[in-house]
Amino acid sequence: MFAAALTEVILASEHAPITWQAVATAAVAYAVAPVPDIDQPESWVSRHLPGASIVSMFVRHRTLTHSLLASLLLYLVLFGLGFHIPQWLATGIVVGWVSHWLIDLVNPMGVQLFYPLPWWVKPPVPWLAIGVESAGETVIRVALTAFVLIFALAYLLLHAPVEVQRAAAHLLPAARRLVGAVTWPWLGACCRFLHLT
Ligand SMILES: [Zn+2]
């Protein structure tokens, strides 16, 4: 859900039009987001992807696959080797992958973000740490799901034909406020620089 939310914020920050590619980017990010946990034998990916559990025998949980190094390599492979991968697919994969360790940073264990350096990056204060399957995680999941749905509807409304906007005129100010609050020019500029469009 965090991957979908992050994709929406990125697309809004780039003032992206509503196209099937935009929807596909969010869908790909959503699908790819669980993959870094391939380093954990009990994870959904390890249990459902044939042969995936082998990875966890060699890679310690929340190290290599959760590192800046792996994200950078993934980015370079998708964008730097001239494979002509569709932009929406490459962007979805990178955003989904990065979103995973970003949200894992709130975990009490943290992640070995600078792997192979041995530093674990974790929440600076214990009350910010949210454990797996804790009540805090449920709250975050519900909040993110609500955000993803409400934000998508607000963005759709702001890009809807005039007649639709007129019919839902009472909702327009709230939609403008919500979309405006998470439309960050700096994020749009960063993503354009990285060709994440
Ligand atoms: Zn993880």
mmCIF file of all heavy atoms in Angstrom, residues 37-81:
data_model
loop_
_atom_site.group_PDB
_atom_site.id
_atom_site.type_symbol
_atom_site.label_atom_id
_atom_site.label_comp_id
_atom_site.label_asym_id
_atom_site.label_seq_id
_atom_site.Cartn_x
_atom_site.Cartn_y
_atom_site.Cartn_z
ATOM 1 N N ASP A 37 11.675 -8.880 0.306
ATOM 2 C CA ASP A 37 11.617 -9.845 1.412
ATOM 3 C C ASP A 37 11.861 -11.279 0.953
ATOM 4 O O ASP A 37 11.623 -12.235 1.711
ATOM 5 C CB ASP A 37 10.274 -9.735 2.147
ATOM 6 C CG ASP A 37 10.331 -8.695 3.246
ATOM 7 O OD1 ASP A 37 11.430 -8.182 3.531
ATOM 8 O OD2 ASP A 37 9.271 -8.382 3.826
ATOM 9 N N ILE A 38 12.367 -11.431 -0.244
ATOM 10 C CA ILE A 38 12.783 -12.735 -0.761
ATOM 11 C C ILE A 38 13.915 -13.298 0.121
ATOM 12 O O ILE A 38 14.228 -14.491 0.089
ATOM 13 C CB ILE A 38 13.244 -12.577 -2.237
ATOM 14 C CG1 ILE A 38 13.257 -13.920 -2.951
ATOM 15 C CG2 ILE A 38 14.587 -11.879 -2.345
ATOM 16 C CD1 ILE A 38 13.329 -13.786 -4.459
ATOM 17 N N ASP A 39 14.522 -12.396 0.956
ATOM 18 C CA ASP A 39 15.602 -12.809 1.865
ATOM 19 C C ASP A 39 15.067 -13.375 3.174
ATOM 20 O O ASP A 39 15.814 -13.573 4.125
ATOM 21 C CB ASP A 39 16.535 -11.613 2.139
ATOM 22 C CG ASP A 39 15.802 -10.457 2.797
ATOM 23 O OD1 ASP A 39 14.594 -10.598 3.103
ATOM 24 O OD2 ASP A 39 16.427 -9.415 3.012
ATOM 25 N N GLN A 40 13.755 -13.606 3.241
ATOM 26 C CA GLN A 40 13.145 -14.098 4.477
ATOM 27 C C GLN A 40 12.336 -15.344 4.126
ATOM 28 O O GLN A 40 11.375 -15.245 3.363
ATOM 29 C CB GLN A 40 12.220 -12.989 5.018
ATOM 30 C CG GLN A 40 12.261 -12.799 6.504
ATOM 31 C CD GLN A 40 11.228 -13.668 7.192
ATOM 32 O OE1 GLN A 40 11.213 -14.875 7.019
ATOM 33 N NE2 GLN A 40 10.399 -13.059 8.003
ATOM 34 N N PRO A 41 12.704 -16.528 4.663
ATOM 35 C CA PRO A 41 12.046 -17.767 4.220
ATOM 36 C C PRO A 41 10.537 -17.796 4.462
ATOM 37 O O PRO A 41 9.805 -18.469 3.752
ATOM 38 C CB PRO A 41 12.758 -18.863 5.027
ATOM 39 C CG PRO A 41 13.505 -18.163 6.103
ATOM 40 C CD PRO A 41 13.767 -16.771 5.645
ATOM 41 N N GLU A 42 10.074 -17.022 5.484
ATOM 42 C CA GLU A 42 8.623 -17.054 5.778
ATOM 43 C C GLU A 42 7.836 -16.010 4.990
ATOM 44 O O GLU A 42 6.615 -15.940 5.124
ATOM 45 C CB GLU A 42 8.371 -16.814 7.270
ATOM 46 C CG GLU A 42 8.337 -18.079 8.091
ATOM 47 C CD GLU A 42 9.660 -18.310 8.782
ATOM 48 O OE1 GLU A 42 10.010 -17.495 9.647
ATOM 49 O OE2 GLU A 42 10.364 -19.267 8.434
ATOM 50 N N SER A 43 8.519 -15.195 4.210
ATOM 51 C CA SER A 43 7.800 -14.127 3.508
ATOM 52 C C SER A 43 6.904 -14.698 2.414
ATOM 53 O O SER A 43 7.097 -15.819 1.948
ATOM 54 C CB SER A 43 8.790 -13.135 2.892
ATOM 55 O OG SER A 43 9.438 -13.742 1.791
ATOM 56 N N TRP A 44 5.942 -13.886 1.995
ATOM 57 C CA TRP A 44 4.989 -14.290 0.962
ATOM 58 C C TRP A 44 5.722 -14.666 -0.329
ATOM 59 O O TRP A 44 5.428 -15.689 -0.939
ATOM 60 C CB TRP A 44 4.004 -13.140 0.708
ATOM 61 C CG TRP A 44 2.856 -13.540 -0.157
ATOM 62 C CD1 TRP A 44 1.642 -14.012 0.271
ATOM 63 C CD2 TRP A 44 2.817 -13.539 -1.590
ATOM 64 N NE1 TRP A 44 0.853 -14.310 -0.817
ATOM 65 C CE2 TRP A 44 1.547 -14.026 -1.969
ATOM 66 C CE3 TRP A 44 3.722 -13.182 -2.592
ATOM 67 C CZ2 TRP A 44 1.156 -14.149 -3.296
ATOM 68 C CZ3 TRP A 44 3.348 -13.317 -3.924
ATOM 69 C CH2 TRP A 44 2.069 -13.795 -4.261
ATOM 70 N N VAL A 45 6.713 -13.857 -0.707
ATOM 71 C CA VAL A 45 7.448 -14.103 -1.972
ATOM 72 C C VAL A 45 8.190 -15.434 -1.898
ATOM 73 O O VAL A 45 8.145 -16.227 -2.835
ATOM 74 C CB VAL A 45 8.497 -12.991 -2.244
ATOM 75 C CG1 VAL A 45 8.873 -12.930 -3.711
ATOM 76 C CG2 VAL A 45 8.035 -11.653 -1.757
ATOM 77 N N SER A 46 8.888 -15.667 -0.770
ATOM 78 C CA SER A 46 9.668 -16.899 -0.651
ATOM 79 C C SER A 46 8.771 -18.129 -0.693
ATOM 80 O O SER A 46 9.156 -19.170 -1.221
ATOM 81 C CB SER A 46 10.450 -16.900 0.666
ATOM 82 O OG SER A 46 11.398 -15.884 0.643
ATOM 83 N N ARG A 47 7.563 -17.993 -0.155
ATOM 84 C CA ARG A 47 6.667 -19.149 -0.105
ATOM 85 C C ARG A 47 5.950 -19.384 -1.436
ATOM 86 O O ARG A 47 5.546 -20.492 -1.742
ATOM 87 C CB ARG A 47 5.637 -18.982 1.030
ATOM 88 C CG ARG A 47 6.257 -19.204 2.414
ATOM 89 C CD ARG A 47 5.230 -19.170 3.526
ATOM 90 N NE ARG A 47 4.785 -17.818 3.794
ATOM 91 C CZ ARG A 47 3.544 -17.389 3.562
ATOM 92 N NH1 ARG A 47 2.642 -18.211 3.110
ATOM 93 N NH2 ARG A 47 3.223 -16.143 3.808
ATOM 94 N N HIS A 48 5.772 -18.322 -2.232
ATOM 95 C CA HIS A 48 4.973 -18.462 -3.453
ATOM 96 C C HIS A 48 5.771 -18.467 -4.747
ATOM 97 O O HIS A 48 5.275 -18.934 -5.767
ATOM 98 C CB HIS A 48 3.905 -17.362 -3.513
ATOM 99 C CG HIS A 48 2.841 -17.546 -2.477
ATOM 100 N ND1 HIS A 48 2.992 -17.139 -1.167
ATOM 101 C CD2 HIS A 48 1.614 -18.132 -2.548
ATOM 102 C CE1 HIS A 48 1.908 -17.445 -0.489
ATOM 103 N NE2 HIS A 48 1.058 -18.046 -1.298
ATOM 104 N N LEU A 49 6.977 -17.943 -4.721
ATOM 105 C CA LEU A 49 7.787 -17.894 -5.954
ATOM 106 C C LEU A 49 8.679 -19.136 -5.982
ATOM 107 O O LEU A 49 9.502 -19.315 -5.083
ATOM 108 C CB LEU A 49 8.636 -16.614 -5.947
ATOM 109 C CG LEU A 49 8.768 -15.859 -7.263
ATOM 110 C CD1 LEU A 49 7.413 -15.215 -7.606
ATOM 111 C CD2 LEU A 49 9.834 -14.776 -7.144
ATOM 112 N N PRO A 50 8.529 -19.984 -7.002
ATOM 113 C CA PRO A 50 9.327 -21.217 -7.038
ATOM 114 C C PRO A 50 10.834 -20.919 -6.983
ATOM 115 O O PRO A 50 11.325 -20.073 -7.742
ATOM 116 C CB PRO A 50 8.947 -21.844 -8.380
ATOM 117 C CG PRO A 50 7.654 -21.211 -8.776
ATOM 118 C CD PRO A 50 7.644 -19.840 -8.166
ATOM 119 N N GLY A 51 11.517 -21.568 -6.072
ATOM 120 C CA GLY A 51 12.970 -21.409 -5.979
ATOM 121 C C GLY A 51 13.417 -20.188 -5.194
ATOM 122 O O GLY A 51 14.606 -20.037 -4.903
ATOM 123 N N ALA A 52 12.467 -19.310 -4.837
ATOM 124 C CA ALA A 52 12.842 -18.044 -4.187
ATOM 125 C C ALA A 52 13.460 -18.266 -2.810
ATOM 126 O O ALA A 52 14.302 -17.472 -2.366
ATOM 127 C CB ALA A 52 11.626 -17.137 -4.071
ATOM 128 N N SER A 53 13.042 -19.342 -2.143
ATOM 129 C CA SER A 53 13.516 -19.551 -0.767
ATOM 130 C C SER A 53 15.026 -19.792 -0.707
ATOM 131 O O SER A 53 15.639 -19.671 0.357
ATOM 132 C CB SER A 53 12.760 -20.710 -0.114
ATOM 133 O OG SER A 53 12.845 -21.840 -0.939
ATOM 134 N N ILE A 54 15.644 -20.121 -1.853
ATOM 135 C CA ILE A 54 17.096 -20.337 -1.894
ATOM 136 C C ILE A 54 17.829 -19.052 -1.498
ATOM 137 O O ILE A 54 18.854 -19.097 -0.813
ATOM 138 C CB ILE A 54 17.528 -20.781 -3.317
ATOM 139 C CG1 ILE A 54 16.914 -22.142 -3.617
ATOM 140 C CG2 ILE A 54 19.047 -20.839 -3.437
ATOM 141 C CD1 ILE A 54 17.015 -22.559 -5.068
ATOM 142 N N VAL A 55 17.269 -17.893 -1.915
ATOM 143 C CA VAL A 55 17.925 -16.609 -1.646
ATOM 144 C C VAL A 55 18.167 -16.420 -0.146
ATOM 145 O O VAL A 55 19.234 -15.978 0.280
ATOM 146 C CB VAL A 55 17.087 -15.440 -2.217
ATOM 147 C CG1 VAL A 55 17.739 -14.096 -1.910
ATOM 148 C CG2 VAL A 55 16.907 -15.595 -3.721
ATOM 149 N N SER A 56 17.151 -16.789 0.653
ATOM 150 C CA SER A 56 17.258 -16.554 2.100
ATOM 151 C C SER A 56 18.347 -17.414 2.755
ATOM 152 O O SER A 56 18.743 -17.168 3.889
ATOM 153 C CB SER A 56 15.909 -16.803 2.779
ATOM 154 O OG SER A 56 15.515 -18.135 2.540
ATOM 155 N N MET A 57 18.837 -18.430 2.041
ATOM 156 C CA MET A 57 19.923 -19.252 2.599
ATOM 157 C C MET A 57 21.247 -18.512 2.524
ATOM 158 O O MET A 57 22.175 -18.793 3.274
ATOM 159 C CB MET A 57 20.054 -20.557 1.802
ATOM 160 C CG MET A 57 18.883 -21.475 1.960
ATOM 161 S SD MET A 57 19.139 -22.919 0.884
ATOM 162 C CE MET A 57 17.590 -23.746 1.062
ATOM 163 N N PHE A 58 21.326 -17.575 1.583
ATOM 164 C CA PHE A 58 22.601 -16.875 1.361
ATOM 165 C C PHE A 58 22.581 -15.414 1.798
ATOM 166 O O PHE A 58 23.623 -14.834 2.074
ATOM 167 C CB PHE A 58 22.980 -16.958 -0.130
ATOM 168 C CG PHE A 58 23.129 -18.364 -0.628
ATOM 169 C CD1 PHE A 58 22.101 -18.987 -1.317
ATOM 170 C CD2 PHE A 58 24.297 -19.075 -0.371
ATOM 171 C CE1 PHE A 58 22.227 -20.297 -1.761
ATOM 172 C CE2 PHE A 58 24.428 -20.385 -0.818
ATOM 173 C CZ PHE A 58 23.402 -20.995 -1.515
ATOM 174 N N VAL A 59 21.398 -14.832 1.802
ATOM 175 C CA VAL A 59 21.298 -13.398 2.117
ATOM 176 C C VAL A 59 20.549 -13.214 3.429
ATOM 177 O O VAL A 59 19.436 -13.708 3.591
ATOM 178 C CB VAL A 59 20.558 -12.643 0.982
ATOM 179 C CG1 VAL A 59 20.515 -11.150 1.276
ATOM 180 C CG2 VAL A 59 21.234 -12.892 -0.359
ATOM 181 N N ARG A 60 21.168 -12.488 4.362
ATOM 182 C CA ARG A 60 20.537 -12.256 5.654
ATOM 183 C C ARG A 60 19.385 -11.256 5.480
ATOM 184 O O ARG A 60 19.464 -10.336 4.663
ATOM 185 C CB ARG A 60 21.570 -11.678 6.635
ATOM 186 C CG ARG A 60 21.109 -11.703 8.062
ATOM 187 C CD ARG A 60 22.161 -11.135 8.982
ATOM 188 N NE ARG A 60 21.553 -10.737 10.234
ATOM 189 C CZ ARG A 60 22.090 -9.891 11.084
ATOM 190 N NH1 ARG A 60 23.260 -9.348 10.836
ATOM 191 N NH2 ARG A 60 21.465 -9.569 12.196
ATOM 192 N N HIS A 61 18.326 -11.445 6.272
ATOM 193 C CA HIS A 61 17.126 -10.616 6.152
ATOM 194 C C HIS A 61 17.431 -9.129 6.380
ATOM 195 O O HIS A 61 18.137 -8.772 7.303
ATOM 196 C CB HIS A 61 16.074 -11.112 7.148
ATOM 197 C CG HIS A 61 14.742 -10.445 6.992
ATOM 198 N ND1 HIS A 61 14.232 -10.054 5.766
ATOM 199 C CD2 HIS A 61 13.803 -10.096 7.902
ATOM 200 C CE1 HIS A 61 13.043 -9.495 5.946
ATOM 201 N NE2 HIS A 61 12.766 -9.504 7.227
ATOM 202 N N ARG A 62 16.854 -8.282 5.519
ATOM 203 C CA ARG A 62 16.975 -6.813 5.570
ATOM 204 C C ARG A 62 18.423 -6.339 5.423
ATOM 205 O O ARG A 62 18.848 -5.392 6.078
ATOM 206 C CB ARG A 62 16.371 -6.254 6.869
ATOM 207 C CG ARG A 62 14.889 -6.527 6.996
ATOM 208 C CD ARG A 62 14.181 -5.523 7.870
ATOM 209 N NE ARG A 62 12.780 -5.820 7.977
ATOM 210 C CZ ARG A 62 12.205 -6.400 9.041
ATOM 211 N NH1 ARG A 62 12.928 -6.687 10.097
ATOM 212 N NH2 ARG A 62 10.922 -6.655 9.043
ATOM 213 N N THR A 63 19.180 -7.008 4.553
ATOM 214 C CA THR A 63 20.552 -6.555 4.277
ATOM 215 C C THR A 63 20.678 -6.173 2.794
ATOM 216 O O THR A 63 20.234 -5.099 2.419
ATOM 217 C CB THR A 63 21.586 -7.621 4.689
ATOM 218 O OG1 THR A 63 21.329 -8.833 3.973
ATOM 219 C CG2 THR A 63 21.539 -7.899 6.183
ATOM 220 N N LEU A 64 21.212 -7.080 1.983
ATOM 221 C CA LEU A 64 21.472 -6.749 0.574
ATOM 222 C C LEU A 64 20.236 -6.260 -0.179
ATOM 223 O O LEU A 64 20.264 -5.207 -0.826
ATOM 224 C CB LEU A 64 22.075 -7.969 -0.142
ATOM 225 C CG LEU A 64 22.254 -7.817 -1.654
ATOM 226 C CD1 LEU A 64 23.252 -6.718 -1.990
ATOM 227 C CD2 LEU A 64 22.694 -9.130 -2.283
ATOM 228 N N THR A 65 19.139 -7.007 -0.091
ATOM 229 C CA THR A 65 17.961 -6.635 -0.888
ATOM 230 C C THR A 65 17.310 -5.344 -0.391
ATOM 231 O O THR A 65 16.499 -4.743 -1.095
ATOM 232 C CB THR A 65 16.898 -7.759 -0.887
ATOM 233 O OG1 THR A 65 16.484 -7.982 0.457
ATOM 234 C CG2 THR A 65 17.432 -9.042 -1.481
ATOM 235 N N HIS A 66 17.646 -4.925 0.839
ATOM 236 C CA HIS A 66 17.068 -3.707 1.414
ATOM 237 C C HIS A 66 18.076 -2.551 1.392
ATOM 238 O O HIS A 66 17.943 -1.597 2.153
ATOM 239 C CB HIS A 66 16.632 -3.970 2.854
ATOM 240 C CG HIS A 66 15.474 -4.913 2.992
ATOM 241 N ND1 HIS A 66 15.496 -6.195 2.506
ATOM 242 C CD2 HIS A 66 14.247 -4.753 3.549
ATOM 243 C CE1 HIS A 66 14.331 -6.783 2.775
ATOM 244 N NE2 HIS A 66 13.556 -5.924 3.405
ATOM 245 N N SER A 67 19.102 -2.669 0.560
ATOM 246 C CA SER A 67 20.185 -1.673 0.590
ATOM 247 C C SER A 67 20.080 -0.659 -0.545
ATOM 248 O O SER A 67 19.440 -0.907 -1.564
ATOM 249 C CB SER A 67 21.527 -2.392 0.488
ATOM 250 O OG SER A 67 21.649 -2.982 -0.798
ATOM 251 N N LEU A 68 20.762 0.458 -0.354
ATOM 252 C CA LEU A 68 20.866 1.460 -1.417
ATOM 253 C C LEU A 68 21.586 0.860 -2.613
ATOM 254 O O LEU A 68 21.270 1.151 -3.761
ATOM 255 C CB LEU A 68 21.637 2.684 -0.904
ATOM 256 C CG LEU A 68 20.889 3.596 0.060
ATOM 257 C CD1 LEU A 68 21.830 4.663 0.611
ATOM 258 C CD2 LEU A 68 19.700 4.270 -0.625
ATOM 259 N N LEU A 69 22.567 -0.011 -2.321
ATOM 260 C CA LEU A 69 23.357 -0.642 -3.375
ATOM 261 C C LEU A 69 22.470 -1.436 -4.332
ATOM 262 O O LEU A 69 22.553 -1.286 -5.554
ATOM 263 C CB LEU A 69 24.413 -1.565 -2.727
ATOM 264 C CG LEU A 69 25.290 -2.366 -3.679
ATOM 265 C CD1 LEU A 69 26.227 -1.443 -4.433
ATOM 266 C CD2 LEU A 69 26.086 -3.425 -2.928
ATOM 267 N N ALA A 70 21.597 -2.289 -3.771
ATOM 268 C CA ALA A 70 20.711 -3.103 -4.617
ATOM 269 C C ALA A 70 19.757 -2.213 -5.405
ATOM 270 O O ALA A 70 19.500 -2.464 -6.590
ATOM 271 C CB ALA A 70 19.925 -4.088 -3.755
ATOM 272 N N SER A 71 19.248 -1.166 -4.759
ATOM 273 C CA SER A 71 18.328 -0.254 -5.452
ATOM 274 C C SER A 71 19.040 0.446 -6.598
ATOM 275 O O SER A 71 18.478 0.616 -7.681
ATOM 276 C CB SER A 71 17.775 0.794 -4.483
ATOM 277 O OG SER A 71 17.023 0.164 -3.480
ATOM 278 N N LEU A 72 20.283 0.857 -6.343
ATOM 279 C CA LEU A 72 21.063 1.543 -7.375
ATOM 280 C C LEU A 72 21.334 0.611 -8.558
ATOM 281 O O LEU A 72 21.184 0.981 -9.726
ATOM 282 C CB LEU A 72 22.381 2.048 -6.772
ATOM 283 C CG LEU A 72 23.269 2.853 -7.705
ATOM 284 C CD1 LEU A 72 22.608 4.186 -8.048
ATOM 285 C CD2 LEU A 72 24.637 3.112 -7.079
ATOM 286 N N LEU A 73 21.720 -0.644 -8.239
ATOM 287 C CA LEU A 73 21.987 -1.626 -9.301
ATOM 288 C C LEU A 73 20.728 -1.895 -10.130
ATOM 289 O O LEU A 73 20.781 -1.941 -11.358
ATOM 290 C CB LEU A 73 22.505 -2.938 -8.694
ATOM 291 C CG LEU A 73 23.940 -2.892 -8.150
ATOM 292 C CD1 LEU A 73 24.286 -4.207 -7.475
ATOM 293 C CD2 LEU A 73 24.933 -2.590 -9.271
ATOM 294 N N LEU A 74 19.605 -2.034 -9.436
ATOM 295 C CA LEU A 74 18.330 -2.267 -10.122
ATOM 296 C C LEU A 74 18.021 -1.099 -11.060
ATOM 297 O O LEU A 74 17.633 -1.289 -12.215
ATOM 298 C CB LEU A 74 17.221 -2.428 -9.071
ATOM 299 C CG LEU A 74 15.835 -2.787 -9.590
ATOM 300 C CD1 LEU A 74 15.828 -4.182 -10.185
ATOM 301 C CD2 LEU A 74 14.810 -2.709 -8.465
ATOM 302 N N TYR A 75 18.224 0.113 -10.537
ATOM 303 C CA TYR A 75 17.975 1.311 -11.342
ATOM 304 C C TYR A 75 18.877 1.328 -12.579
ATOM 305 O O TYR A 75 18.419 1.583 -13.693
ATOM 306 C CB TYR A 75 18.197 2.563 -10.487
ATOM 307 C CG TYR A 75 18.089 3.841 -11.287
ATOM 308 C CD1 TYR A 75 16.840 4.381 -11.588
ATOM 309 C CD2 TYR A 75 19.225 4.485 -11.764
ATOM 310 C CE1 TYR A 75 16.728 5.532 -12.346
ATOM 311 C CE2 TYR A 75 19.121 5.642 -12.523
ATOM 312 C CZ TYR A 75 17.877 6.161 -12.812
ATOM 313 O OH TYR A 75 17.773 7.294 -13.570
ATOM 314 N N LEU A 76 20.162 1.020 -12.366
ATOM 315 C CA LEU A 76 21.120 1.056 -13.485
ATOM 316 C C LEU A 76 20.773 0.010 -14.540
ATOM 317 O O LEU A 76 20.857 0.269 -15.738
ATOM 318 C CB LEU A 76 22.548 0.846 -12.966
ATOM 319 C CG LEU A 76 23.115 2.025 -12.175
ATOM 320 C CD1 LEU A 76 24.488 1.687 -11.622
ATOM 321 C CD2 LEU A 76 23.186 3.284 -13.026
ATOM 322 N N VAL A 77 20.360 -1.181 -14.087
ATOM 323 C CA VAL A 77 19.990 -2.239 -15.038
ATOM 324 C C VAL A 77 18.767 -1.804 -15.855
ATOM 325 O O VAL A 77 18.733 -1.954 -17.074
ATOM 326 C CB VAL A 77 19.697 -3.564 -14.282
ATOM 327 C CG1 VAL A 77 19.006 -4.568 -15.198
ATOM 328 C CG2 VAL A 77 20.990 -4.150 -13.737
ATOM 329 N N LEU A 78 17.772 -1.234 -15.171
ATOM 330 C CA LEU A 78 16.515 -0.902 -15.854
ATOM 331 C C LEU A 78 16.623 0.349 -16.728
ATOM 332 O O LEU A 78 15.976 0.455 -17.757
ATOM 333 C CB LEU A 78 15.395 -0.708 -14.818
ATOM 334 C CG LEU A 78 14.970 -1.980 -14.077
ATOM 335 C CD1 LEU A 78 14.037 -1.647 -12.933
ATOM 336 C CD2 LEU A 78 14.289 -2.953 -15.032
ATOM 337 N N PHE A 79 17.442 1.302 -16.275
ATOM 338 C CA PHE A 79 17.487 2.580 -16.992
ATOM 339 C C PHE A 79 18.804 2.824 -17.731
ATOM 340 O O PHE A 79 18.859 3.663 -18.615
ATOM 341 C CB PHE A 79 17.242 3.746 -16.020
ATOM 342 C CG PHE A 79 15.818 3.851 -15.554
ATOM 343 C CD1 PHE A 79 15.379 3.131 -14.463
ATOM 344 C CD2 PHE A 79 14.916 4.653 -16.231
ATOM 345 C CE1 PHE A 79 14.053 3.216 -14.042
ATOM 346 C CE2 PHE A 79 13.597 4.748 -15.826
ATOM 347 C CZ PHE A 79 13.167 4.024 -14.720
ATOM 348 N N GLY A 80 19.859 2.123 -17.323
ATOM 349 C CA GLY A 80 21.169 2.483 -17.846
ATOM 350 C C GLY A 80 21.730 1.550 -18.909
ATOM 351 O O GLY A 80 22.699 1.888 -19.576
ATOM 352 N N LEU A 81 21.144 0.362 -19.075
ATOM 353 C CA LEU A 81 21.744 -0.612 -19.987
ATOM 354 C C LEU A 81 21.103 -0.625 -21.371
ATOM 355 O O LEU A 81 21.421 -1.465 -22.201
ATOM 356 C CB LEU A 81 21.687 -2.022 -19.374
ATOM 357 C CG LEU A 81 22.530 -2.236 -18.104
ATOM 358 C CD1 LEU A 81 22.486 -3.706 -17.681
ATOM 359 C CD2 LEU A 81 23.977 -1.815 -18.301
#
